[in-house]
């Protein structure tokens, strides 16, 4: 049976979160957890400190999935991320994350039909500069 859903969901925003200013402690904690030893990410001087590029994946909005998500199947799992990085995150940055449904599609593999949803999160800083675009894919059977 072909995948059927309301096409108006594509491009719809389901989460918009503004985060408190990034602290040096947050950056150092993330760098330590990620095993980073580059002084750029670990220096004690907050004016020179920048976050590792993958810091953006630690941001958590209010909604992980859209409330009007179509029924794509019973069992879902993470099918990967694509991240395009922009300007570095610095101490004091106020980050805004806007998440939308970017795509929904069906594929057939060796084990049968699979449905995918791609959730796009665009992260910007207080100056409106692009920090990252994250495409999170989920697969359902």
């Amino acid at each position: 049976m072909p995948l059927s859903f309301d096409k108006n969901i594509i491009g719809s925003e389901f989460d918009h979160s503004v985060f408190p200013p990034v602290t040096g402690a947050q950056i150092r904690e993330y760098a330590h957890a990620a095993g980073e030893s580059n002084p750029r990410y670990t220096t004690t001087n907050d004016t020179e400190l920048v976050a590792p590029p993958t810091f953006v994946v630690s941001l958590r909005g209010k909604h992980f999935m859209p409330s009007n998500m179509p029924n794509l199947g019973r069992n879902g799992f993470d099918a990967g991320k694509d991240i395009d990085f922009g300007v570095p995150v610095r101490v004091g940055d106020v980050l805004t994350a806007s998440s939308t449904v970017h795509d929904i599609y069906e594929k057939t593999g060796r084990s049968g039909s699979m449905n995918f949803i791609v959730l796009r999160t665009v992260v910007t800083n207080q100056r409106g500069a692009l920090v990252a675009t994250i495409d999170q894919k989920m697969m359902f059977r």
Side-chain angles (χ1 to χ4, degrees):
M1 172 188 270
L3 180 61
S4 175
F5 62 92
D6 179 0
K7 306 287 189 229
N8 290 323
I9 194 172
I10 304 296
S12 64
E13 182 179 68
F14 64 90
D15 189 62
H16 187 90
S17 297
V18 179
F19 300 92
V22 175
T23 66
Q26 283 176 294
I27 292 174
R28 287 182 200 90
E29 182 180 325
Y30 181 85
H32 176 75
E36 285 288 353
S37 58
N38 185 328
R40 183 173 189 198
Y41 309 134
T42 60
T43 182
T44 56
N45 181 347
D46 281 0
T47 59
E48 295 177 11
L49 185 66
V50 296
T54 56
F55 177 82
V56 294
V57 299
S58 69
L59 301 174
R60 296 289 176 258
K62 296 177 223 71
H63 305 284
F64 177 69
M65 293 286 236
S67 60
N68 60 341
M69 184 164 144
N71 181 7
L72 299 175
R74 292 177 294 154
N75 301 320
F77 62 86
D78 187 335
K81 280 181 196 51
D82 292 320
I83 307 174
D84 290 326
F85 299 108
V87 299
V89 173
R90 299 185 178 281
V91 173
D93 278 354
V94 175
L95 302 178
T96 299
S98 173
S99 298
T100 59
V101 177
H102 182 65
D103 196 9
I104 298 175
Y105 60 93
E106 180 179 30
K107 284 176 81 173
T108 302
R110 289 180 291 156
S111 60
S113 179
M114 301 169 282
N115 297 320
F116 291 83
I117 186 167
V118 180
L119 306 174
R120 175 167 285 177
T121 300
V122 175
V123 182
T124 56
N125 64 21
Q126 71 278 7
R127 292 176 295 284
L130 179 67
V131 172
T133 301
I134 306 164
D135 283 347
Q136 169 68 49
K137 295 178 209 96
M138 299 288 295
M139 193 276 283
F140 296 85
R141 291 195 169 267

